[in-house]
Amino acid sequence: GAWIDSGSFLTGDILEKAMTYDIFTPKFKTVKSEDASRGKWVNGIWFSNGGNILFNFVYDSLIYFWRNHNRAVEYLAVDYILWTAYNNLTDVKKLIDSIPYNNENIRLLNNHLHDTYDRDLYEEIIKVNQIHVINRHQKYPIVDRNNNETFYGYLISGKLE
């Protein structure tokens, strides 16, 4: 199965590739200090086969929380649940550590959404990333100052594959 956050855009055969692993998420060698996952995963983008120990742990943790608290779980709390599993369950640590580094420029397409669409640049972007995180809180122009369609215009019109 897959958990794909609404701010994500997938290209290429990433679904088929991801499902060849017991568990898969974007994973980075270079980590920003503010990254709660320390580059080991991207909260909101996961692929796995059924019965995964990590997702069972997350599910049980959330059910436990909701039985004791009548409120929504903060978004980053899921990262802390994941860290708890990673640091305390050997099988979870092995699973996450077995994920190869991938999609390390996950925000590259997002950085060009305001730019005039360029097919060659798009081909370069999707060559190195098949998972793209789009900032859904930012507004992007559909056309540039010269009335040329932007990357964002292509994205929302369904022209990007």
Side-chain angles (χ1 to χ4, degrees):
W3 171 18
I4 305 168
D5 189 81
S6 64
S8 304
F9 177 64
L10 307 181
T11 56
D13 61 352
I14 189 62
L15 289 172
E16 291 82 12
K17 285 181 186 175
M19 295 312 291
T20 64
Y21 296 92
D22 290 328
I23 190 170
F24 189 85
T25 184
K27 185 176 178 181
F28 317 126
K29 291 178 197 167
T30 305
V31 181
K32 295 180 180 178
S33 61
E34 69 272 11
D35 184 1
S37 74
R38 300 294 182 255
K40 295 189 180 301
W41 59 78
V42 171
N43 192 354
I45 304 173
W46 289 93
F47 304 89
S48 176
N49 298 309
N52 186 288
I53 185 173
L54 175 60
F55 300 126
N56 290 338
F57 181 86
V58 171
Y59 173 83
D60 290 344
S61 298
L62 292 172
I63 294 299
Y64 177 83
F65 178 85
W66 288 320
R67 283 191 181 133
N68 294 287
H69 307 281
N70 189 21
R71 64 177 186 264
V73 174
E74 296 289 330
Y75 189 74
L76 284 177
V78 175
D79 276 317
Y80 294 111
I81 293 170
L82 293 166
W83 266 116
T84 300
Y86 180 81
N87 288 321
N88 294 288
L89 301 173
T90 304
D91 289 343
V92 169
K93 185 176 186 337
K94 285 179 187 173
L95 273 175
I96 291 174
D97 288 348
S98 73
I99 299 168
Y101 294 111
N102 69 88
N103 290 281
E104 295 196 56
N105 294 307
I106 198 166
R107 291 175 180 83
L108 186 58
L109 178 60
N110 185 79
N111 296 342
H112 289 283
L113 288 179
H114 61 278
D115 296 339
T116 304
Y117 178 73
D118 177 324
R119 180 75 183 174
D120 292 334
L121 177 57
Y122 179 68
E123 292 294 330
E124 287 178 37
I125 291 170
I126 64 171
K127 214 180 282 183
V128 295
N129 294 295
Q130 294 78 45
I131 301 174
H132 313 273
V133 172
I134 308 298
N135 182 342
R136 63 183 175 271
H137 302 290
Q138 187 172 341
K139 296 203 184 275
Y140 303 97
I142 296 172
V143 294
D144 65 13
R145 290 185 207 144
N146 298 319
N147 212 32
N148 295 312
E149 202 164 13
T150 62
F151 276 86
Y152 181 71
Y154 267 71
L155 177 66
I156 65 167
S157 67
K159 295 176 187 171
L160 296 184
E161 301 172 358

